[in-house]
Amino acid sequence: MSAGTISEDEFEGSSDYDENDFEDDDEDESDTEFGQTGDMGFQDMITEKQRKKAYEVDFSVLPLADIMAAQTSAASHVSGILGVSLQQATALLRSFKWNKERLVERYMDHSQEILNQAGIVLDDVHTPVLKRPRGFVCMICFDDSSAGPALGLRCGHVFCQPCYEQYLTQKIVEEGECRRILCPESGCNTIVDEETIKKAVQPTVIAKYQQLQDRAYVADLDNLRWCPAPNCENAIDCRLPHSSFKTVVPTVLCACGYKFCFGCGLGDHQPAACGLVKMWQKKCADDSETANWISAHTKECGKCLSTIEKNGGCNHMTCRKCKYEFCWVCMGPWSEHGTSWYNCNRFEETSSTDARDQQAKSRASLERYLHYYNRFANHEHSAKLDRDLYTKTEKKMEEMQRTSDLSWIEVQFLKKAVDVLTSCRMTLRWTYAFAFYLARNNMTDLFEDNQRDLEVAVEALSELLEKPIEREKIAELRQQVLDKTVYVGSRREVVLEDTAKGLAEGRWEFFVDFSK
Amino acid sequence: MAKPMFARRLSKELKDLAMNPPAGVDIIDANDFKVWKLGLAGAPGTLYEGEKFQLEFNFGPNYPLESPQVLFVGDNVPIHPHIYSNGHICLDVLYNHWSPVQTVASICLSLQSMLSSCTSKERPPDNANYIKTARANPKHTAWAFHDDTV
Ligand SMILES: [Zn+2]
Ligand SMILES: [Zn+2]
Ligand SMILES: [Zn+2]
Ligand SMILES: [Zn+2]
């Protein structure tokens, strides 16, 4: 079991660390590798690093073996108290969603009822029937021969063994059922107990059954959640009450390297809270058709109202008729935009409202949504392009490593840079969903400044990575990339700190109530 | 198509159905262990008296561990609060309350009793919307069962 909080250098994490020291590892790395850069303001971040950050939560990673051990230990405790077998204690705990205290308390007064509910038979008189009774007909396959094994629970509904096995296999393998597998008889509520199941089915099905039980155990406990990464068998233990997820974004990092939200199971979506994410995703799904239509179609010039078609990628539009220059996204005059496209990171409510008033009101609100949506989507897309670029570059680096005196460690800076870039883009992406719902007040200016700083830093690093690599200049490039990587990481931290603190302090006002 | 171990069961069901059909039920077409077509006549003294309906049963390889796909087909789909105009039937034993001891005959009996207890011939209130969005196989619908008093 490893305890940890995510720190900025999670991109260090991969399969090669020992689970017990992954937090320490993180700290060490950041001090040695990134600590000495003299970037302004970065020194503050280093000091801050010692404390837990506002956007971090406590959690631990539990491998499957620990999950199984926890069940056994709870069961052996209960079996001691109630005087039942380990297996029976396990079944009892399952039917009480692993709430030991409640089980023991209720069992004292209503033991028989509770045993029945859990499908447990304590006495020998009611153990399963294994022989075919006289005049037997299996009501599943209609076989009426008197030979061959059969199976029936204490309810007396007997079926032939092959049918029972097929039935249980169907329930477990096809339907993923493990908690309440009932007697095959129509309307019979007798639960097939674990012992009977294990006797009746193949070992592979028993393994699947056990896996389902482990799944159900984790699902039963509020403080546990499986890591959603494919093929990962770890669970995360996070003791925060779920009610706090309105104001905390519980991002966790599994030992497998996957970072995700403990609250909802989606990939890391800081700084947006789970409720906001849900609402945004629903909006995106609902609006995608209309949005596609609108974005594919024309607009009217803010001045002369003649129809303008967007045909290039640039947002700088010039009306063919009156030569009015404006921004395609916010419809505001281009003169206010400076020279860089990312200056339109805010949907200036004042300077462009007049221009947009000429458009239909509904269109304006859709455009507002599109503004944020396009940026949201753009970072996802760009992160993919960054990855593609990295794959290409990686080959080149490998070659360099073979032909020059650079060591493996020394060529790792590109991987780190791309990893930081990706996580920054993911953060940026969610800042746009966050901003979409954010009501403007005097606190939001700082947020938008931070967002823009991160955006500029991200694009600068991205651009740097696109530069062709020349062998003579590799040391220089490496230093530049390292510096920019540190800087981008620190900008991300600023955004996350500010938004997380704001959420905790109730500083943000949102248009909508996403706290359910 | 049923697995060999269950083919025997279907052939027995077919034989029983031919010899001892439940009231109002007749076999229209049952040439394989994949799809059967049965006729169902509205019972005398009910709102459906004199009407003829057609039922289609589709058996998967896991029948009877899995329920068959059952729906009304043809021109006359009974007008009933639990039967959609596309032939889909809202009846729990066909979906989550299926048990492998259920048979084609027992399903026919359930349907007969569902029709017989009907007091007013009307479509489910969400019919228009449902038939627009429903998949062809009613087993893919997430059924929220209407009250079973009708
Ligand atoms: Zn059998
Ligand atoms: Zn039974
Ligand atoms: Zn994992
Ligand atoms: Zn979440």
Side-chain angles (χ1 to χ4, degrees), chain A residues 340-503:
Chain A
S340 311
W341 67 270
Y342 40 68
N343 274 19
C344 189
N345 79 322
R346 64 177 70 182
F347 196 70
E348 266 304 341
E349 315 281 334
T350 45
S351 81
S352 53
T353 302
D354 293 347
R356 285 198 313 276
D357 268 356
Q358 293 168 12
Q359 315 278 333
K361 273 257 156 61
S362 64
R363 184 138 143 181
S365 86
L366 211 70
E367 289 295 352
R368 180 177 182 280
Y369 159 71
L370 270 177
H371 169 88
Y372 292 101
Y373 177 74
N374 288 340
R375 272 148 191 76
F376 177 87
N378 174 48
H379 281 294
E380 197 169 12
H381 182 62
S382 301
K384 201 190 158 289
L385 296 182
D386 291 341
R387 289 263 141 213
D388 292 350
L389 179 68
Y390 169 67
T391 321
K392 273 185 236 143
T393 315
E394 194 184 29
K395 285 209 181 78
K396 200 162 176 191
M397 297 306 292
E398 275 170 19
E399 193 190 299
M400 284 193 163
Q401 194 197 323
R402 273 198 303 273
T403 55
S404 70
D405 53 358
L406 282 171
S407 70
W408 181 80
I409 286 292
E410 282 170 313
V411 298
Q412 288 306 295
F413 68 94
L414 274 180
K415 177 167 169 34
K416 276 172 201 157
V418 172
D419 284 341
V420 173
L421 200 56
T422 307
S423 78
C424 286
R425 285 202 189 275
M426 289 307 113
T427 303
L428 261 179
R429 166 175 181 248
W430 285 107
T431 63
Y432 283 108
F434 185 89
F436 176 75
Y437 291 112
L438 194 61
R440 297 200 84 167
N441 60 26
N442 49 357
M443 315 304 276
T444 54
D445 284 351
L446 180 61
F447 162 73
E448 287 182 344
D449 288 349
N450 290 338
Q451 184 190 38
R452 194 195 48 234
D453 288 349
L454 176 57
E455 177 113 48
V456 172
V458 158
E459 297 305 342
L461 177 58
S462 181
E463 214 175 292
L464 191 58
L465 295 180
E466 280 175 34
K467 275 195 178 169
I469 300 173
E470 296 160 42
R471 187 171 302 170
E472 314 75 58
K473 292 193 177 157
I474 190 143
E476 196 185 314
L477 178 70
R478 180 171 179 270
Q479 197 50 51
Q480 279 180 343
V481 169
L482 280 177
D483 289 351
K484 279 242 167 24
T485 305
V486 171
Y487 179 69
V488 167
S490 75
R491 292 320 316 178
R492 172 168 176 266
E493 206 149 301
V494 169
V495 167
L496 291 181
E497 276 296 302
D498 176 55
T499 46
K501 280 187 183 147
L503 272 180

Side-chain angles (χ1 to χ4, degrees), chain A residues 139-145 159-160 162-163 166-167 170-171 174-175 183-187, chain B residues 3 5-6 8-10 12-13 16 62 64-66 93 96-103:
Chain A
M139 290 311 287
I140 297 177
C141 65
F142 288 6
D143 180 17
D144 56 3
S145 65
F159 302 91
C160 79
C163 279
Q166 292 270 344
Y167 171 75
Q170 163 86 12
K171 288 281 167 198
E174 301 300 326
E175 296 170 30
C183 163
E185 179 62 39
S186 178
Chain B
K3 275 181 189 163
M5 82 174 277
F6 298 124
R8 176 195 161 90
R9 154 155 173 169
L10 271 175
K12 186 126 192 303
E13 276 200 57
D16 285 353
N62 284 327
L65 298 177
E66 272 177 19
V93 294
N96 61 340
H97 280 186
W98 171 256
S99 148
V101 308
Q102 232 93 247
T103 60

Side-chain angles (χ1 to χ4, degrees), chain A residues 264 266 274-287 369 376 429-430 433 437:
Chain A
C264 65
L266 289 174
C274 296
L276 191 153
V277 168
K278 212 170 147 193
M279 209 172 259
W280 173 255
Q281 287 187 322
K282 189 176 179 302
K283 177 158 188 66
C284 293
D286 292 351
D287 284 9
Y369 159 71
F376 177 87
R429 166 175 181 248
W430 285 107
Y437 291 112

Side-chain angles (χ1 to χ4, degrees), chain A residues 121-185:
Chain A
V121 189
L122 289 181
D123 53 34
D124 290 344
V125 188
H126 291 108
T127 47
V129 183
L130 295 171
K131 276 209 335 231
R132 301 187 175 197
R134 193 183 295 275
F136 169 82
V137 180
C138 172
M139 290 311 287
I140 297 177
C141 65
F142 288 6
D143 180 17
D144 56 3
S145 65
S146 55
L151 194 58
L153 303 176
R154 63 181 185 280
C155 57
H157 301 125
V158 184
F159 302 91
C160 79
Q161 209 284 340
C163 279
Y164 229 112
E165 181 186 339
Q166 292 270 344
Y167 171 75
L168 294 174
T169 304
Q170 163 86 12
K171 288 281 167 198
I172 293 163
V173 179
E174 301 300 326
E175 296 170 30
E177 183 83 61
C178 69
R179 281 294 167 82
R180 280 186 62 82
I181 301 179
L182 301 175
C183 163
E185 179 62 39

Side-chain angles (χ1 to χ4, degrees), chain B residues 60-121:
Chain B
N62 284 327
Y63 176 84
L65 298 177
E66 272 177 19
S67 64
Q69 202 193 115
V70 184
L71 62 168
F72 282 101
V73 292
D75 307 332
N76 194 20
V77 170
I79 297 176
H80 184 281
H82 292 176
I83 300 168
Y84 290 89
S85 54
N86 62 355
H88 286 197
I89 306 160
C90 179
L91 179 65
D92 57 1
V93 294
L94 293 178
Y95 313 105
N96 61 340
H97 280 186
W98 171 256
S99 148
V101 308
Q102 232 93 247
T103 60
V104 172
S106 75
I107 292 171
C108 290
L109 284 175
S110 297
L111 288 171
Q112 273 294 21
S113 103
M114 190 173 121
L115 291 176
S116 301
S117 57
C118 179
T119 51
S120 113
K121 278 172 91 169

